[in-house]
Amino acid sequence: MFRFFAIIFFLNISYVSFSQEVIDFPHWLAGTWEIESPTGVSYEEWKLSDNSELIGRTYRLFGNDTLVFDNMRIYNLGSATVYEMFVNCEYDRELMKFSLQKPDDNLWKFENIKSNSPKNINYYRIEENVVYVWTEYASDETACIDFFMKKKK
């Protein structure tokens, strides 16, 4: 009888372990976010793809034209959540991966200690429709970039 319960217990543990999704994924980021600045309004847009990854871009509208600043991607690589984007390196742009270092439920900190430009990208969820975003650089001479995003309805 003990063997029977032990087998059932281990089967349940195995089922739970292998059937769980990776929970560290910012699905709430999907949508279009407005970024207001003194020079106008920009947008950060995230779409959930069929591959359960977020595909993002930042852009600004000029009449009928769209100027795209950055393309990003958030996806799961094994058990890690990764933020991927092109960064400026010297006179070139390089595809860089940033790993999730998640200190709490509302702060999504993606970091790459080998990158100087930027070293980390942070999304702090203030409310359901308000996010504070900032980047930090390895050099003290480079100013951090920060802004608030408000979700468009």
Side-chain angles (χ1 to χ4, degrees):
M1 188 66 147
F2 176 75
R3 288 177 90 189
F4 174 75
F5 286 114
I7 290 171
I8 297 297
F9 174 77
F10 286 113
L11 286 175
N12 280 336
I13 294 290
S14 298
Y15 175 77
V16 169
S17 297
F18 290 109
S19 66
Q20 289 180 342
E21 286 185 32
V22 176
I23 57 171
D24 281 341
F25 200 79
H27 291 96
W28 54 266
L29 199 53
T32 302
W33 300 81
E34 289 184 337
I35 305 162
E36 292 183 25
S37 73
T39 59
V41 177
S42 297
Y43 300 93
E44 185 163 307
E45 178 182 69
W46 290 94
K47 293 182 180 179
L48 191 60
S49 76
D50 294 338
N51 298 337
S52 295
E53 62 184 22
L54 285 166
I55 306 296
R57 67 181 183 148
T58 56
Y59 63 94
R60 182 171 280 185
L61 300 174
F62 294 96
N64 292 331
D65 295 328
T66 303
L67 177 62
V68 176
F69 300 120
D70 288 304
N71 290 296
M72 302 88 64
R73 183 168 78 124
I74 300 175
Y75 59 98
N76 288 320
L77 183 61
S79 63
T81 301
V82 175
Y83 184 106
E84 185 178 84
M85 71 178 290
F86 282 93
V87 298
N88 293 324
C89 296
E90 299 283 326
Y91 301 104
D92 203 6
R93 289 183 54 84
E94 182 179 328
L95 185 63
M96 192 69 66
K97 290 178 173 58
F98 298 82
S99 299
L100 177 63
Q101 309 295 319
K102 188 178 173 199
D104 70 42
D105 290 340
N106 293 319
L107 177 61
W108 290 75
K109 179 178 185 172
F110 297 92
E111 185 174 54
N112 183 330
I113 58 173
K114 295 178 182 176
S115 174
N116 292 326
S117 175
K119 182 176 70 171
N120 61 52
I121 303 163
N122 304 277
Y123 287 81
Y124 183 71
R125 190 175 185 191
I126 296 172
E127 297 174 9
E128 183 178 342
N129 295 320
V130 179
V131 176
Y132 177 57
V133 181
W134 75 95
T135 59
E136 296 175 356
Y137 295 83
S139 168
D140 291 336
E141 297 170 7
T142 305
C144 295
I145 298 170
D146 68 326
F147 52 89
F148 286 94
M149 299 192 313
K150 294 180 183 169
K151 197 171 219 176
K152 281 182 65 173
K153 296 190 183 205

